[in-house]
PDB file of all heavy atoms in Angstrom:
ATOM      1  N   ALA A 147      -0.617   5.662   6.467  1.00  0.00           N
ATOM      2  CA  ALA A 147      -0.256   4.938   5.242  1.00  0.00           C
ATOM      3  C   ALA A 147       0.557   3.693   5.572  1.00  0.00           C
ATOM      4  O   ALA A 147       0.382   2.642   4.935  1.00  0.00           O
ATOM      5  CB  ALA A 147       0.515   5.856   4.292  1.00  0.00           C
ATOM      6  N   CYS A 148       1.435   3.781   6.565  1.00  0.00           N
ATOM      7  CA  CYS A 148       2.218   2.607   6.982  1.00  0.00           C
ATOM      8  C   CYS A 148       1.303   1.502   7.500  1.00  0.00           C
ATOM      9  O   CYS A 148       1.468   0.332   7.141  1.00  0.00           O
ATOM     10  CB  CYS A 148       3.223   2.995   8.064  1.00  0.00           C
ATOM     11  SG  CYS A 148       4.617   3.955   7.469  1.00  0.00           S
ATOM     12  N   GLU A 149       0.338   1.864   8.339  1.00  0.00           N
ATOM     13  CA  GLU A 149      -0.598   0.878   8.871  1.00  0.00           C
ATOM     14  C   GLU A 149      -1.427   0.253   7.747  1.00  0.00           C
ATOM     15  O   GLU A 149      -1.635  -0.962   7.716  1.00  0.00           O
ATOM     16  CB  GLU A 149      -1.523   1.522   9.906  1.00  0.00           C
ATOM     17  CG  GLU A 149      -0.836   1.868  11.201  1.00  0.00           C
ATOM     18  CD  GLU A 149      -1.780   2.530  12.194  1.00  0.00           C
ATOM     19  OE1 GLU A 149      -3.010   2.300  12.119  1.00  0.00           O
ATOM     20  OE2 GLU A 149      -1.287   3.281  13.042  1.00  0.00           O
ATOM     21  N   THR A 150      -1.882   1.084   6.825  1.00  0.00           N
ATOM     22  CA  THR A 150      -2.681   0.588   5.710  1.00  0.00           C
ATOM     23  C   THR A 150      -1.846  -0.314   4.808  1.00  0.00           C
ATOM     24  O   THR A 150      -2.325  -1.350   4.335  1.00  0.00           O
ATOM     25  CB  THR A 150      -3.270   1.764   4.911  1.00  0.00           C
ATOM     26  OG1 THR A 150      -4.028   2.591   5.806  1.00  0.00           O
ATOM     27  CG2 THR A 150      -4.161   1.278   3.784  1.00  0.00           C
ATOM     28  N   ALA A 151      -0.597   0.073   4.573  1.00  0.00           N
ATOM     29  CA  ALA A 151       0.298  -0.741   3.744  1.00  0.00           C
ATOM     30  C   ALA A 151       0.481  -2.120   4.373  1.00  0.00           C
ATOM     31  O   ALA A 151       0.457  -3.145   3.668  1.00  0.00           O
ATOM     32  CB  ALA A 151       1.642  -0.043   3.566  1.00  0.00           C
ATOM     33  N   LEU A 152       0.645  -2.166   5.676  1.00  0.00           N
ATOM     34  CA  LEU A 152       0.784  -3.461   6.359  1.00  0.00           C
ATOM     35  C   LEU A 152      -0.486  -4.298   6.219  1.00  0.00           C
ATOM     36  O   LEU A 152      -0.419  -5.499   5.947  1.00  0.00           O
ATOM     37  CB  LEU A 152       1.110  -3.254   7.836  1.00  0.00           C
ATOM     38  CG  LEU A 152       2.552  -2.850   8.150  1.00  0.00           C
ATOM     39  CD1 LEU A 152       2.696  -2.506   9.631  1.00  0.00           C
ATOM     40  CD2 LEU A 152       3.515  -3.956   7.763  1.00  0.00           C
ATOM     41  N   ALA A 153      -1.629  -3.661   6.377  1.00  0.00           N
ATOM     42  CA  ALA A 153      -2.899  -4.386   6.264  1.00  0.00           C
ATOM     43  C   ALA A 153      -3.070  -4.957   4.853  1.00  0.00           C
ATOM     44  O   ALA A 153      -3.457  -6.129   4.682  1.00  0.00           O
ATOM     45  CB  ALA A 153      -4.061  -3.471   6.628  1.00  0.00           C
ATOM     46  N   ILE A 154      -2.799  -4.137   3.844  1.00  0.00           N
ATOM     47  CA  ILE A 154      -2.910  -4.605   2.457  1.00  0.00           C
ATOM     48  C   ILE A 154      -1.899  -5.712   2.189  1.00  0.00           C
ATOM     49  O   ILE A 154      -2.205  -6.724   1.553  1.00  0.00           O
ATOM     50  CB  ILE A 154      -2.722  -3.429   1.472  1.00  0.00           C
ATOM     51  CG1 ILE A 154      -3.899  -2.464   1.573  1.00  0.00           C
ATOM     52  CG2 ILE A 154      -2.570  -3.937   0.042  1.00  0.00           C
ATOM     53  CD1 ILE A 154      -3.698  -1.163   0.796  1.00  0.00           C
ATOM     54  N   ALA A 155      -0.672  -5.538   2.691  1.00  0.00           N
ATOM     55  CA  ALA A 155       0.382  -6.542   2.483  1.00  0.00           C
ATOM     56  C   ALA A 155      -0.023  -7.884   3.083  1.00  0.00           C
ATOM     57  O   ALA A 155       0.169  -8.936   2.458  1.00  0.00           O
ATOM     58  CB  ALA A 155       1.696  -6.056   3.080  1.00  0.00           C
ATOM     59  N   PHE A 156      -0.588  -7.866   4.289  1.00  0.00           N
ATOM     60  CA  PHE A 156      -1.008  -9.118   4.913  1.00  0.00           C
ATOM     61  C   PHE A 156      -2.098  -9.806   4.088  1.00  0.00           C
ATOM     62  O   PHE A 156      -2.073 -11.019   3.907  1.00  0.00           O
ATOM     63  CB  PHE A 156      -1.488  -8.889   6.349  1.00  0.00           C
ATOM     64  CG  PHE A 156      -0.376  -8.523   7.292  1.00  0.00           C
ATOM     65  CD1 PHE A 156      -0.578  -7.573   8.279  1.00  0.00           C
ATOM     66  CD2 PHE A 156       0.875  -9.119   7.217  1.00  0.00           C
ATOM     67  CE1 PHE A 156       0.449  -7.215   9.150  1.00  0.00           C
ATOM     68  CE2 PHE A 156       1.909  -8.775   8.088  1.00  0.00           C
ATOM     69  CZ  PHE A 156       1.678  -7.824   9.061  1.00  0.00           C
ATOM     70  N   GLU A 157      -3.037  -9.022   3.570  1.00  0.00           N
ATOM     71  CA  GLU A 157      -4.097  -9.596   2.737  1.00  0.00           C
ATOM     72  C   GLU A 157      -3.514 -10.204   1.450  1.00  0.00           C
ATOM     73  O   GLU A 157      -3.920 -11.279   1.023  1.00  0.00           O
ATOM     74  CB  GLU A 157      -5.156  -8.546   2.398  1.00  0.00           C
ATOM     75  CG  GLU A 157      -6.016  -8.148   3.567  1.00  0.00           C
ATOM     76  CD  GLU A 157      -6.761  -9.325   4.184  1.00  0.00           C
ATOM     77  OE1 GLU A 157      -7.316 -10.168   3.442  1.00  0.00           O
ATOM     78  OE2 GLU A 157      -6.770  -9.413   5.433  1.00  0.00           O
ATOM     79  N   LYS A 158      -2.566  -9.503   0.840  1.00  0.00           N
ATOM     80  CA  LYS A 158      -1.945 -10.016  -0.375  1.00  0.00           C
ATOM     81  C   LYS A 158      -1.151 -11.289  -0.082  1.00  0.00           C
ATOM     82  O   LYS A 158      -1.162 -12.238  -0.877  1.00  0.00           O
ATOM     83  CB  LYS A 158      -1.064  -8.953  -1.027  1.00  0.00           C
ATOM     84  CG  LYS A 158      -1.880  -7.843  -1.676  1.00  0.00           C
ATOM     85  CD  LYS A 158      -1.020  -6.921  -2.476  1.00  0.00           C
ATOM     86  CE  LYS A 158      -0.874  -7.499  -3.866  1.00  0.00           C
ATOM     87  NZ  LYS A 158      -0.298  -6.552  -4.824  1.00  0.00           N
ATOM     88  N   LEU A 159      -0.459 -11.324   1.033  1.00  0.00           N
ATOM     89  CA  LEU A 159       0.305 -12.522   1.401  1.00  0.00           C
ATOM     90  C   LEU A 159      -0.618 -13.708   1.634  1.00  0.00           C
ATOM     91  O   LEU A 159      -0.305 -14.832   1.232  1.00  0.00           O
ATOM     92  CB  LEU A 159       1.167 -12.240   2.635  1.00  0.00           C
ATOM     93  CG  LEU A 159       2.372 -11.314   2.405  1.00  0.00           C
ATOM     94  CD1 LEU A 159       3.000 -10.914   3.738  1.00  0.00           C
ATOM     95  CD2 LEU A 159       3.399 -11.961   1.489  1.00  0.00           C
ATOM     96  N   ARG A 160      -1.757 -13.462   2.264  1.00  0.00           N
ATOM     97  CA  ARG A 160      -2.725 -14.543   2.468  1.00  0.00           C
ATOM     98  C   ARG A 160      -3.214 -15.098   1.127  1.00  0.00           C
ATOM     99  O   ARG A 160      -3.512 -16.279   1.012  1.00  0.00           O
ATOM    100  CB  ARG A 160      -3.917 -14.026   3.282  1.00  0.00           C
ATOM    101  CG  ARG A 160      -3.624 -13.900   4.744  1.00  0.00           C
ATOM    102  CD  ARG A 160      -4.883 -13.553   5.536  1.00  0.00           C
ATOM    103  NE  ARG A 160      -4.520 -13.229   6.888  1.00  0.00           N
ATOM    104  CZ  ARG A 160      -4.597 -12.024   7.431  1.00  0.00           C
ATOM    105  NH1 ARG A 160      -5.075 -11.007   6.749  1.00  0.00           N
ATOM    106  NH2 ARG A 160      -4.221 -11.823   8.673  1.00  0.00           N
ATOM    107  N   ALA A 161      -3.290 -14.217   0.125  1.00  0.00           N
ATOM    108  CA  ALA A 161      -3.728 -14.632  -1.215  1.00  0.00           C
ATOM    109  C   ALA A 161      -2.553 -15.121  -2.056  1.00  0.00           C
ATOM    110  O   ALA A 161      -2.684 -15.314  -3.262  1.00  0.00           O
ATOM    111  CB  ALA A 161      -4.434 -13.469  -1.906  1.00  0.00           C
ATOM    112  N   ARG A 162      -1.396 -15.271  -1.415  1.00  0.00           N
ATOM    113  CA  ARG A 162      -0.162 -15.726  -2.064  1.00  0.00           C
ATOM    114  C   ARG A 162       0.286 -14.798  -3.186  1.00  0.00           C
ATOM    115  O   ARG A 162       0.736 -15.221  -4.245  1.00  0.00           O
ATOM    116  CB  ARG A 162      -0.304 -17.163  -2.559  1.00  0.00           C
ATOM    117  CG  ARG A 162      -0.657 -18.141  -1.474  1.00  0.00           C
ATOM    118  CD  ARG A 162      -0.015 -19.479  -1.722  1.00  0.00           C
ATOM    119  NE  ARG A 162      -0.346 -20.443  -0.694  1.00  0.00           N
ATOM    120  CZ  ARG A 162       0.348 -20.608   0.433  1.00  0.00           C
ATOM    121  NH1 ARG A 162       1.388 -19.875   0.673  1.00  0.00           N
ATOM    122  NH2 ARG A 162       0.004 -21.526   1.300  1.00  0.00           N
ATOM    123  N   GLN A 163       0.161 -13.481  -2.922  1.00  0.00           N
ATOM    124  CA  GLN A 163       0.633 -12.457  -3.849  1.00  0.00           C
ATOM    125  C   GLN A 163       1.753 -11.684  -3.161  1.00  0.00           C
ATOM    126  O   GLN A 163       1.755 -11.535  -1.938  1.00  0.00           O
ATOM    127  CB  GLN A 163      -0.496 -11.493  -4.228  1.00  0.00           C
ATOM    128  CG  GLN A 163      -1.634 -12.165  -4.959  1.00  0.00           C
ATOM    129  CD  GLN A 163      -2.809 -11.216  -5.153  1.00  0.00           C
ATOM    130  OE1 GLN A 163      -2.787 -10.077  -4.717  1.00  0.00           O
ATOM    131  NE2 GLN A 163      -3.846 -11.707  -5.816  1.00  0.00           N
ATOM    132  N   ASP A 164       2.697 -11.170  -3.941  1.00  0.00           N
ATOM    133  CA  ASP A 164       3.840 -10.438  -3.399  1.00  0.00           C
ATOM    134  C   ASP A 164       3.517  -8.940  -3.317  1.00  0.00           C
ATOM    135  O   ASP A 164       3.351  -8.281  -4.338  1.00  0.00           O
ATOM    136  CB  ASP A 164       5.073 -10.644  -4.282  1.00  0.00           C
ATOM    137  CG  ASP A 164       6.325  -9.988  -3.718  1.00  0.00           C
ATOM    138  OD1 ASP A 164       6.292  -9.528  -2.551  1.00  0.00           O
ATOM    139  OD2 ASP A 164       7.332  -9.948  -4.445  1.00  0.00           O
ATOM    140  N   PRO A 165       3.459  -8.378  -2.111  1.00  0.00           N
ATOM    141  CA  PRO A 165       3.173  -6.951  -1.958  1.00  0.00           C
ATOM    142  C   PRO A 165       4.419  -6.063  -2.025  1.00  0.00           C
ATOM    143  O   PRO A 165       4.314  -4.837  -1.947  1.00  0.00           O
ATOM    144  CB  PRO A 165       2.549  -6.873  -0.565  1.00  0.00           C
ATOM    145  CG  PRO A 165       3.249  -7.965   0.195  1.00  0.00           C
ATOM    146  CD  PRO A 165       3.461  -9.064  -0.818  1.00  0.00           C
ATOM    147  N   ALA A 166       5.593  -6.650  -2.191  1.00  0.00           N
ATOM    148  CA  ALA A 166       6.853  -5.902  -2.086  1.00  0.00           C
ATOM    149  C   ALA A 166       6.994  -4.802  -3.138  1.00  0.00           C
ATOM    150  O   ALA A 166       7.714  -3.833  -2.917  1.00  0.00           O
ATOM    151  CB  ALA A 166       8.046  -6.843  -2.151  1.00  0.00           C
ATOM    152  N   THR A 167       6.316  -4.926  -4.273  1.00  0.00           N
ATOM    153  CA  THR A 167       6.449  -3.903  -5.317  1.00  0.00           C
ATOM    154  C   THR A 167       5.327  -2.867  -5.271  1.00  0.00           C
ATOM    155  O   THR A 167       5.313  -1.935  -6.071  1.00  0.00           O
ATOM    156  CB  THR A 167       6.477  -4.554  -6.714  1.00  0.00           C
ATOM    157  OG1 THR A 167       5.268  -5.290  -6.902  1.00  0.00           O
ATOM    158  CG2 THR A 167       7.681  -5.461  -6.866  1.00  0.00           C
ATOM    159  N   ASP A 168       4.388  -3.022  -4.348  1.00  0.00           N
ATOM    160  CA  ASP A 168       3.305  -2.048  -4.195  1.00  0.00           C
ATOM    161  C   ASP A 168       3.833  -0.792  -3.506  1.00  0.00           C
ATOM    162  O   ASP A 168       4.874  -0.825  -2.841  1.00  0.00           O
ATOM    163  CB  ASP A 168       2.160  -2.640  -3.371  1.00  0.00           C
ATOM    164  CG  ASP A 168       1.464  -3.794  -4.078  1.00  0.00           C
ATOM    165  OD1 ASP A 168       1.908  -4.174  -5.174  1.00  0.00           O
ATOM    166  OD2 ASP A 168       0.480  -4.302  -3.519  1.00  0.00           O
ATOM    167  N   ALA A 169       3.085   0.302  -3.650  1.00  0.00           N
ATOM    168  CA  ALA A 169       3.521   1.561  -3.032  1.00  0.00           C
ATOM    169  C   ALA A 169       2.357   2.530  -2.901  1.00  0.00           C
ATOM    170  O   ALA A 169       1.362   2.440  -3.628  1.00  0.00           O
ATOM    171  CB  ALA A 169       4.623   2.209  -3.867  1.00  0.00           C
ATOM    172  N   PHE A 170       2.514   3.445  -1.975  1.00  0.00           N
ATOM    173  CA  PHE A 170       1.610   4.591  -1.849  1.00  0.00           C
ATOM    174  C   PHE A 170       2.390   5.846  -2.211  1.00  0.00           C
ATOM    175  O   PHE A 170       3.561   5.992  -1.828  1.00  0.00           O
ATOM    176  CB  PHE A 170       1.113   4.771  -0.409  1.00  0.00           C
ATOM    177  CG  PHE A 170      -0.047   3.922  -0.024  1.00  0.00           C
ATOM    178  CD1 PHE A 170       0.037   3.078   1.068  1.00  0.00           C
ATOM    179  CD2 PHE A 170      -1.237   3.976  -0.724  1.00  0.00           C
ATOM    180  CE1 PHE A 170      -1.035   2.289   1.448  1.00  0.00           C
ATOM    181  CE2 PHE A 170      -2.322   3.197  -0.358  1.00  0.00           C
ATOM    182  CZ  PHE A 170      -2.219   2.348   0.736  1.00  0.00           C
ATOM    183  N   ASP A 171       1.746   6.748  -2.924  1.00  0.00           N
ATOM    184  CA  ASP A 171       2.242   8.114  -3.086  1.00  0.00           C
ATOM    185  C   ASP A 171       1.316   8.988  -2.270  1.00  0.00           C
ATOM    186  O   ASP A 171       0.104   9.002  -2.516  1.00  0.00           O
ATOM    187  CB  ASP A 171       2.209   8.571  -4.548  1.00  0.00           C
ATOM    188  CG  ASP A 171       3.306   7.951  -5.388  1.00  0.00           C
ATOM    189  OD1 ASP A 171       4.301   7.484  -4.814  1.00  0.00           O
ATOM    190  OD2 ASP A 171       3.162   7.948  -6.622  1.00  0.00           O
ATOM    191  N   ILE A 172       1.857   9.686  -1.287  1.00  0.00           N
ATOM    192  CA  ILE A 172       1.052  10.614  -0.493  1.00  0.00           C
ATOM    193  C   ILE A 172       1.144  11.962  -1.194  1.00  0.00           C
ATOM    194  O   ILE A 172       2.238  12.503  -1.368  1.00  0.00           O
ATOM    195  CB  ILE A 172       1.563  10.709   0.958  1.00  0.00           C
ATOM    196  CG1 ILE A 172       1.583   9.322   1.611  1.00  0.00           C
ATOM    197  CG2 ILE A 172       0.698  11.683   1.760  1.00  0.00           C
ATOM    198  CD1 ILE A 172       2.227   9.285   2.988  1.00  0.00           C
ATOM    199  N   VAL A 173      -0.012  12.489  -1.614  1.00  0.00           N
ATOM    200  CA  VAL A 173      -0.030  13.733  -2.376  1.00  0.00           C
ATOM    201  C   VAL A 173      -0.905  14.761  -1.675  1.00  0.00           C
ATOM    202  O   VAL A 173      -1.784  14.419  -0.870  1.00  0.00           O
ATOM    203  CB  VAL A 173      -0.513  13.503  -3.833  1.00  0.00           C
ATOM    204  CG1 VAL A 173       0.422  12.570  -4.574  1.00  0.00           C
ATOM    205  CG2 VAL A 173      -1.915  12.952  -3.872  1.00  0.00           C
ATOM    206  N   ASP A 174      -0.661  16.036  -1.985  1.00  0.00           N
ATOM    207  CA  ASP A 174      -1.454  17.105  -1.394  1.00  0.00           C
ATOM    208  C   ASP A 174      -2.627  17.468  -2.299  1.00  0.00           C
ATOM    209  O   ASP A 174      -2.845  16.846  -3.339  1.00  0.00           O
ATOM    210  CB  ASP A 174      -0.587  18.325  -1.071  1.00  0.00           C
ATOM    211  CG  ASP A 174       0.037  18.970  -2.297  1.00  0.00           C
ATOM    212  OD1 ASP A 174      -0.362  18.644  -3.436  1.00  0.00           O
ATOM    213  OD2 ASP A 174       0.932  19.821  -2.116  1.00  0.00           O
ATOM    214  N   VAL A 175      -3.371  18.484  -1.919  1.00  0.00           N
ATOM    215  CA  VAL A 175      -4.553  18.912  -2.663  1.00  0.00           C
ATOM    216  C   VAL A 175      -4.206  19.316  -4.095  1.00  0.00           C
ATOM    217  O   VAL A 175      -4.984  19.102  -5.022  1.00  0.00           O
ATOM    218  CB  VAL A 175      -5.244  20.080  -1.922  1.00  0.00           C
ATOM    219  CG1 VAL A 175      -6.411  20.623  -2.713  1.00  0.00           C
ATOM    220  CG2 VAL A 175      -5.715  19.629  -0.554  1.00  0.00           C
ATOM    221  N   ASP A 176      -3.012  19.880  -4.284  1.00  0.00           N
ATOM    222  CA  ASP A 176      -2.576  20.298  -5.620  1.00  0.00           C
ATOM    223  C   ASP A 176      -1.958  19.145  -6.412  1.00  0.00           C
ATOM    224  O   ASP A 176      -1.387  19.366  -7.473  1.00  0.00           O
ATOM    225  CB  ASP A 176      -1.569  21.449  -5.502  1.00  0.00           C
ATOM    226  CG  ASP A 176      -2.182  22.671  -4.859  1.00  0.00           C
ATOM    227  OD1 ASP A 176      -3.368  22.960  -5.143  1.00  0.00           O
ATOM    228  OD2 ASP A 176      -1.487  23.337  -4.066  1.00  0.00           O
ATOM    229  N   ARG A 177      -2.031  17.938  -5.856  1.00  0.00           N
ATOM    230  CA  ARG A 177      -1.512  16.720  -6.480  1.00  0.00           C
ATOM    231  C   ARG A 177       0.016  16.685  -6.562  1.00  0.00           C
ATOM    232  O   ARG A 177       0.590  15.997  -7.398  1.00  0.00           O
ATOM    233  CB  ARG A 177      -2.121  16.480  -7.870  1.00  0.00           C
ATOM    234  CG  ARG A 177      -3.634  16.362  -7.849  1.00  0.00           C
ATOM    235  CD  ARG A 177      -4.041  15.215  -6.970  1.00  0.00           C
ATOM    236  NE  ARG A 177      -5.508  15.040  -7.033  1.00  0.00           N
ATOM    237  CZ  ARG A 177      -6.162  14.251  -6.230  1.00  0.00           C
ATOM    238  NH1 ARG A 177      -5.538  13.568  -5.315  1.00  0.00           N
ATOM    239  NH2 ARG A 177      -7.467  14.128  -6.322  1.00  0.00           N
ATOM    240  N   ASN A 178       0.681  17.401  -5.668  1.00  0.00           N
ATOM    241  CA  ASN A 178       2.136  17.312  -5.550  1.00  0.00           C
ATOM    242  C   ASN A 178       2.467  16.111  -4.675  1.00  0.00           C
ATOM    243  O   ASN A 178       1.887  15.942  -3.597  1.00  0.00           O
ATOM    244  CB  ASN A 178       2.716  18.575  -4.887  1.00  0.00           C
ATOM    245  CG  ASN A 178       2.466  19.807  -5.707  1.00  0.00           C
ATOM    246  OD1 ASN A 178       2.717  19.822  -6.899  1.00  0.00           O
ATOM    247  ND2 ASN A 178       1.928  20.842  -5.077  1.00  0.00           N
ATOM    248  N   VAL A 179       3.404  15.278  -5.135  1.00  0.00           N
ATOM    249  CA  VAL A 179       3.806  14.114  -4.347  1.00  0.00           C
ATOM    250  C   VAL A 179       4.655  14.613  -3.179  1.00  0.00           C
ATOM    251  O   VAL A 179       5.698  15.237  -3.359  1.00  0.00           O
ATOM    252  CB  VAL A 179       4.595  13.096  -5.199  1.00  0.00           C
ATOM    253  CG1 VAL A 179       5.082  11.940  -4.330  1.00  0.00           C
ATOM    254  CG2 VAL A 179       3.736  12.572  -6.341  1.00  0.00           C
TER     255      VAL A 179
END
């Protein structure tokens, strides 16, 4: 998730968008965060 967050952030920065407020919630099969 950290690697993916960096990749998405770089793409957003290239598009002049702020990725600082984006987030991932890692959840299990039962949808518990």
Side-chain angles (χ1 to χ4, degrees):
C148 287
E149 289 179 26
T150 304
L152 284 173
I154 292 171
F156 290 141
E157 289 301 316
K158 288 188 87 168
L159 289 170
R160 283 187 189 111
R162 302 214 180 271
Q163 297 172 358
D164 184 10
T167 59
D168 294 3
F170 277 124
D171 285 340
I172 303 173
V173 298
D174 63 12
V175 176
D176 298 322
R177 301 300 184 190
N178 297 311
V179 176

